[in-house]
């Protein structure tokens, strides 16, 4: 089945220790997104790629970086995680970025910062 | 600014009907999504409305009034597995999804 896969499902890191979350997709979608979601809050868009074109949200901290080496893979790097970065990180894809293109989500990575 | 307003939490009984309302203010409008999210899991697509009126899909229906900036999700014949959060997400003029915080629906036997 075509899908969006996130690894790992749970990630524990130490305060200030760099961490990388990964996402892969077999849908061949052009757009890949990274969202941060804290408990009982709306998902917050961090950035998205339209093909190789990187789009950073204005309020995404510099601590967050992303890479998309090819169509299938996208990575979220948190350079120096703080306690406030503990959250669920959701990767999503869409065929295009216009109109009614629904998002397909991976299962998410729950990040804990100790 | 852009704003989404949904009730934080609702409770309903198994087998009953529940309506979850969403009002929104966005810069432009290009449709509205409803997503379901079970606790600790990722959102899954439920419906998309771009024109006024009711879209029915099995037990779930979604309604849109663009002039009122209003949508609702109607769930019929509630089942225990419908216990989840329901997120309203209109699309603005830049084709960005503006997510609400969601309505947590609790189903009781």
């Amino acid at each position: 089945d075509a899908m969006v896969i996130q690894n790992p499902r749970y990630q524990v890191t130490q305060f200030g220790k760099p961490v990388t979350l990964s996402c892969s997709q077999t849908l061949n979608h052009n757009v890949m997104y990274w969202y941060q979601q804290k408990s009982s809050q709306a998902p917050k868009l961090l950035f998205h790629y339209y093909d190789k074109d990187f789009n950073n949200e204005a309020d995404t901290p510099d601590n967050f970086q992303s890479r998309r080496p090819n169509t299938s893979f996208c990575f979220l790097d948190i350079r120096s995680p703080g306690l406030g970065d503990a959250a669920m990180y959701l990767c999503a894809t869409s065929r295009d970025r216009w109109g009614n293109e629904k998002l397909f989500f991976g299962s998410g990575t729950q990040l804990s910062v100790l | 600014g852009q704003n989404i307003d949904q009730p934080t939490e609702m409770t309903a009984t198994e087998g009953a009907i529940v309506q979850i309302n969403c009002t929104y203010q966005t810069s432009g409008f290009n449709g509205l999504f409803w997503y379901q999210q079970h606790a600790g899991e990722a959102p899954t697509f439920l419906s998309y409305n771009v024109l006024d009126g009711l879209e029915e899909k099995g037990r779930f229906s979604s309604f849109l009034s663009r002039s009122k900036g209003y949508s609702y999700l109607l769930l019929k014949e509630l089942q225990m597995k419908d216990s989840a959060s329901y997120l309203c997400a209109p699309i603005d003029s830049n084709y960005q999804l503006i997510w609400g915080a969601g309505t947590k629906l609790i189903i009781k036997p």
Side-chain angles (χ1 to χ4, degrees), chain A residues 20-79:
Chain A
T20 295
L21 309 181
S22 70
C23 178
S24 64
Q25 55 129 341
T26 60
L27 297 162
N28 203 32
H29 282 174
N30 285 318
V31 193
M32 295 188 77
Y33 307 81
W34 279 106
Y35 283 90
Q36 179 194 65
Q37 188 180 27
K38 298 185 178 181
S39 182
S40 300
Q41 295 186 19
K44 179 181 182 300
L45 182 64
L46 297 174
F47 20 62
H48 76 276
Y49 279 91
Y50 180 69
D51 196 13
K52 296 180 180 179
D53 181 28
F54 177 71
N55 297 270
N56 196 32
E57 294 301 301
D59 57 353
T60 298
D62 292 340
N63 197 27
F64 292 84
Q65 303 286 319
S66 185
R67 298 169 281 136
R68 189 180 186 187
N70 54 52
T71 301
S72 301
F73 286 87
C74 196
F75 300 96
L76 170 62
D77 301 308
I78 309 176
R79 293 192 294 187

Side-chain angles (χ1 to χ4, degrees), chain B residues 2-73:
Chain B
Q2 311 207 85
N3 188 59
I4 313 299
D5 193 20
Q6 302 179 236
T8 303
E9 188 173 297
M10 298 181 70
T11 302
T13 305
E14 190 177 15
I17 300 173
V18 71
Q19 178 174 312
I20 302 173
N21 295 323
C22 171
T23 57
Y24 61 88
Q25 292 175 310
T26 55
S27 302
F29 181 78
N30 282 295
L32 184 144
F33 285 101
W34 283 94
Y35 278 81
Q36 180 191 59
Q37 186 175 26
H38 285 99
E41 298 182 11
T44 55
F45 169 79
L46 285 178
S47 67
Y48 172 76
N49 294 69
V50 66
L51 299 177
D52 290 351
L54 187 68
E55 295 274 347
E56 297 186 75
K57 191 185 296 185
R59 293 190 300 115
F60 292 9
S61 303
S62 56
F63 172 84
L64 175 68
S65 169
R66 289 172 295 172
S67 62
K68 295 181 180 178
Y70 169 68
S71 176
Y72 68 72
L73 183 69

Side-chain angles (χ1 to χ4, degrees), chain A residues 9 35 37 40-43 45 57 88 90 97-103 105-108, chain B residues 30 33 35 37 39-45 48 87 91 94-97 99-102:
Chain A
R9 183 71 178 86
Y35 283 90
Q37 188 180 27
S40 300
Q41 295 186 19
L45 182 64
E57 294 301 301
M88 172 77 87
L90 297 165
R97 59 182 173 185
W98 308 114
N100 67 344
E101 296 292 346
K102 65 183 181 184
L103 301 185
F105 285 88
S107 57
Chain B
N30 282 295
F33 285 101
Y35 278 81
Q37 186 175 26
E41 298 182 11
T44 55
F45 169 79
Y48 172 76
L87 291 84
I91 306 164
N94 292 321
Y95 295 96
Q96 297 265 33
L97 265 70
W99 293 89

